[in-house]
Amino acid sequence: MRRVLSLVLLPFLLFYAIPVGAAEKEERTLEDEIIYSIMIDRFFDGNPENNRDADVTNPDTFNGGDFAGVTKKLDYLKEMGFTTILLSPVFTNDKEGYHGYWVEDFYNTDSHFGTLDELKTLVQEAHSRDIKVMVDFVANSVGPNHPWLQDPTKEDWFHEKDSNDEQLEKSWIDGLPDLNQENPEVKDYLLDVAKWWIEETNIDGYRLHQVEYVNRDFWKDFVRVVKSEKSDFYLIGDVLEGTPKTISSYEETGMDAFMDYTKNEALRQAFAAPDESLTNLFSVKRKNEDLLKADTQLVNFMDTSQSSRFTFDAANHNQHPGTRWKIALSYLYTTPGVPVIFYGSEIALNGNEAPENHQLMNFKTEQDLVDYITDLAEIRAAHPALSRGKLDVLYEKDGVVVYKRTLAEETNVVVINNTSKTQKIVLNQSQLEENKELRGLLNGDLVRSQDGTYSIVIDRELAEVYKLVHKSVINIPYFAVLFAVLALFALFIALVMKRSKRNSID
């Protein structure tokens, strides 16, 4: 009987099995990534032995986070769907440079963060989970007490301190000694450093700090050298004065993407409170399209280490941060661009500008927002149209927006109700193909086409991501097969019980 049952079930098992290697997976690129940005010192303390002078009560100094701590939390990040982690600068820093931007030695890790071997372990463990690792790279300046400042032979390694402030490429930004990349020795040093970290640790990318404060010719050579070392290496330009016009002037450098600060202003204004217009989000998008090349990638974010927290904005409007974060992230995960989430966003970490925005991460919090981020990541990963597809706005008015993302035969529709009231939106056949249905992927909503229209009703301060599919019908063959399998299984159990009873009598 067991042999008969196996033969009956085998065709069904083979039918539903996924054929391994049947189709090559499309090459993974930057636009497919979801990036989690980590300030190493404030994330997690995985090795207390390197704490030395760390003081968790002092927000202006090292608090104890390290490479080992990030390594221990990789599964946590993987489960939320993050595919890349972005580390704050790893180099040896000034005694108060917990953030990593006051470099004292480009060729060593800061001992507060751990050893070079611990960083290599972090990269290896991340790669074993299919997570890429990027590092913030500082090429513009060094720490306020760098030994080079006392070396007479390196006097021409710096621009003059009293340079005209309008000359951004030569100014001492925030009072930090400004490196002279026009000096061939400085240029070669920085290029060698960039190659060395790739060779030593096998990292996957750099975010380039303060791009507009370094001349473009240097960046062209930087990109060329780094890409020759690792062709699929990611390079994201952090252009703080990131207007579309400014970003367009750096496209020739060959960087893969740029932080979109212009859209960030619109994002924070739109989502910090309900009943705010979303018009500016799409006007910024149109300006980007007009001024940037079609293949220029932009990086979308709500906050960074240099800004106040988005939670701070929501709290200032007396809003529940979790609700505001959900609706903002729904937009971030479903529109063109690479989403970057600053550590602690998943727990709605609060704080004004630094160091208040650099609080220690707290992993003992409510799970609701973490679950929501996880769901968004799963939906984005399962539907390439949300990361690679064309965007068309179908409806936008008074804080409500509906847009579709299309790629080949796939269509996803996103509805965001950024208002304090339930809304109804009717889409016609010129906007969506008729005689189909919209299946909600976030909240399970179902909207069927009737008389050529789709009537969508969405609650206040809510977002839904739909998949446009053929109308569902009762699958009679499927249920027939399922019934047959269950019947055979019941028969098998009955025969086993009968045989067992007979053996006990004997």
Side-chain angles (χ1 to χ4, degrees):
M1 181 62 196
R2 291 177 182 173
R3 183 176 298 175
V4 172
L5 183 64
S6 298
L7 290 173
V8 170
L9 291 177
L10 183 60
F12 302 115
L13 294 173
L14 291 174
F15 178 77
Y16 285 105
I18 298 174
V20 178
E24 289 291 328
K25 186 177 180 180
E26 192 169 359
E27 183 181 357
R28 178 171 160 188
T29 63
L30 182 57
E31 64 186 337
D32 300 313
E33 307 295 348
I34 305 174
I35 302 175
Y36 188 87
S37 177
I38 298 173
M39 181 161 283
I40 300 167
D41 179 67
R42 302 300 162 96
F43 190 59
F44 188 66
D45 185 1
N47 181 10
E49 293 183 3
N50 58 33
N51 285 350
R52 300 195 338 265
D53 53 352
D55 181 2
V56 296
T57 66
N58 184 357
D60 290 313
T61 192
F62 289 89
N63 281 193
D66 49 28
F67 301 137
V70 178
T71 303
K72 290 181 179 180
K73 292 298 181 179
L74 285 173
D75 287 335
Y76 164 81
L77 299 174
K78 176 73 174 179
E79 289 169 5
M80 272 193 292
F82 291 103
T83 61
T84 295
I85 57 174
L86 170 60
L87 303 176
S88 54
V90 300
F91 322 112
T92 301
N93 254 245
D94 186 88
K95 62 180 181 179
E96 302 297 334
Y98 70 89
H99 41 65
Y101 295 104
W102 295 350
V103 181
E104 285 200 344
D105 184 352
F106 282 96
Y107 276 104
N108 279 297
T109 60
D110 193 290
S111 58
H112 294 88
F113 303 152
T115 64
L116 179 62
D117 284 339
E118 286 177 304
L119 176 58
K120 290 180 180 179
T121 297
L122 165 56
V123 176
Q124 291 168 359
E125 289 295 321
H127 287 173
S128 71
R129 293 164 173 80
D130 201 25
I131 296 175
K132 293 180 181 291
V133 180
M134 299 182 67
V135 171
D136 256 345
F137 191 93
V138 182
N140 178 52
S141 57
V142 295
N145 303 302
H146 198 288
W148 291 344
L149 294 167
Q150 309 304 321
D151 186 347
T153 67
K154 290 185 168 54
E155 185 176 348
D156 60 352
W157 279 43
F158 299 95
H159 291 123
E160 293 183 12
K161 187 173 184 179
D162 296 327
S163 294
N164 190 327
D165 288 343
E166 294 181 0
Q167 295 179 289
L168 291 179
E169 295 177 1
K170 297 183 179 181
S171 298
W172 284 38
I173 306 299
D174 297 326
L176 296 177
D178 193 75
L179 290 169
N180 178 15
Q181 293 83 10
E182 292 89 350
N183 182 324
E185 290 182 326
V186 176
K187 176 181 175 180
D188 290 343
Y189 179 91
L190 292 172
L191 296 182
D192 288 342
V193 166
K195 290 190 296 182
W196 187 85
W197 284 98
I198 300 172
E199 294 168 354
E200 285 294 314
T201 65
N202 196 27
I203 55 176
D204 306 287
Y206 290 133
R207 180 171 65 180
L208 305 173
H209 185 57
Q210 296 181 333
V211 164
E212 72 268 42
Y213 302 146
V214 179
N215 71 78
R216 292 166 179 77
D217 288 338
F218 171 83
W219 288 127
K220 289 179 185 177
D221 289 333
F222 188 97
V223 172
R224 174 182 53 78
V225 167
V226 165
K227 292 285 189 179
S228 66
E229 191 69 31
K230 194 172 184 179
S231 61
D232 59 350
F233 199 78
Y234 294 156
L235 290 169
I236 297 176
D238 189 24
V239 185
L240 296 177
E241 303 295 329
T243 64
K245 185 177 181 180
T246 305
I247 291 174
S248 67
S249 69
Y250 287 93
E251 288 178 314
E252 63 182 17
T253 63
M255 296 179 193
D256 298 296
F258 299 91
M259 303 287 285
D260 194 352
Y261 283 90
T262 302
K263 189 184 292 180
N264 176 251
E265 294 177 12
L267 282 166
R268 295 181 71 133
Q269 182 177 2
F271 293 124
D275 299 313
E276 294 289 338
S277 172
L278 305 180
T279 301
N280 284 345
L281 293 176
F282 298 96
S283 62
V284 169
K285 178 182 178 298
R286 285 191 292 271
K287 288 180 182 178
N288 287 338
E289 291 173 344
D290 291 340
L291 292 172
L292 303 178
K293 296 177 182 177
D295 59 349
T296 297
Q297 289 291 322
L298 294 175
V299 174
N300 300 324
F301 55 95
M302 297 307 298
D303 43 29
T304 71
S305 62
Q306 275 84 46
S307 71
S308 61
R309 293 275 181 170
F310 174 64
T311 299
F312 183 78
D313 292 3
N316 280 346
H317 286 84
N318 296 316
Q319 297 297 313
H320 187 278
T323 302
R324 296 286 89 209
W325 265 111
K326 285 182 180 180
I327 201 163
L329 289 168
S330 298
Y331 178 90
L332 225 63
Y333 273 61
T334 60
T335 51
V338 184
V340 174
I341 311 302
F342 193 37
Y343 86 96
S345 298
E346 73 273 27
I347 61 169
L349 201 62
N350 202 350
N352 201 347
E353 295 181 356
E356 190 179 325
N357 59 336
H358 301 160
Q359 296 180 43
L360 276 171
M361 178 65 179
N362 175 12
F363 293 93
K364 297 179 180 179
T365 56
E366 294 294 330
Q367 190 69 20
D368 188 46
L369 189 51
V370 171
D371 291 340
Y372 193 83
I373 291 174
T374 304
D375 291 343
L376 281 174
E378 290 177 353
I379 292 169
R380 180 181 168 92
H383 300 86
L386 294 175
S387 56
R388 295 170 175 250
K390 177 187 175 185
L391 183 144
D392 292 295
V393 177
L394 305 180
Y395 178 92
E396 190 274 309
K397 185 178 179 182
D398 299 331
V400 180
V401 66
V402 181
Y403 51 88
K404 67 178 178 181
R405 303 292 307 274
T406 53
L407 181 67
E409 301 300 317
E410 180 183 71
T411 297
N412 291 105
V413 176
V414 181
V415 182
I416 295 177
N417 179 7
N418 191 42
T419 77
S420 52
K421 296 179 180 180
T422 298
Q423 300 289 338
K424 180 179 180 180
I425 308 101
V426 179
L427 304 177
N428 58 45
Q429 59 192 11
S430 68
Q431 297 168 300
L432 285 179
E433 184 181 349
E434 62 180 334
N435 295 323
K436 289 194 172 184
E437 67 184 25
L438 294 168
R439 291 184 192 167
L441 305 175
L442 265 177
N443 305 302
D445 191 24
L446 179 65
V447 179
R448 288 190 169 187
S449 170
Q450 292 184 347
D451 300 325
T453 64
Y454 296 83
S455 296
I456 302 172
V457 178
I458 184 165
D459 289 342
R460 56 173 290 177
E461 299 182 75
L462 196 69
E464 179 63 288
V465 182
Y466 295 95
K467 182 175 182 179
L468 183 66
V469 296
H470 293 288
K471 286 186 176 181
S472 53
V473 295
I474 297 176
N475 192 334
I476 296 176
Y478 170 80
F479 283 106
V481 169
L482 181 63
F483 178 78
V485 170
L486 292 175
L488 286 170
F489 183 72
L491 178 60
F492 169 72
I493 294 298
L495 290 172
V496 169
M497 293 178 64
K498 185 176 180 181
R499 179 176 293 182
S500 175
K501 185 176 181 180
R502 184 188 304 157
N503 290 340
S504 64
I505 294 174
D506 293 341

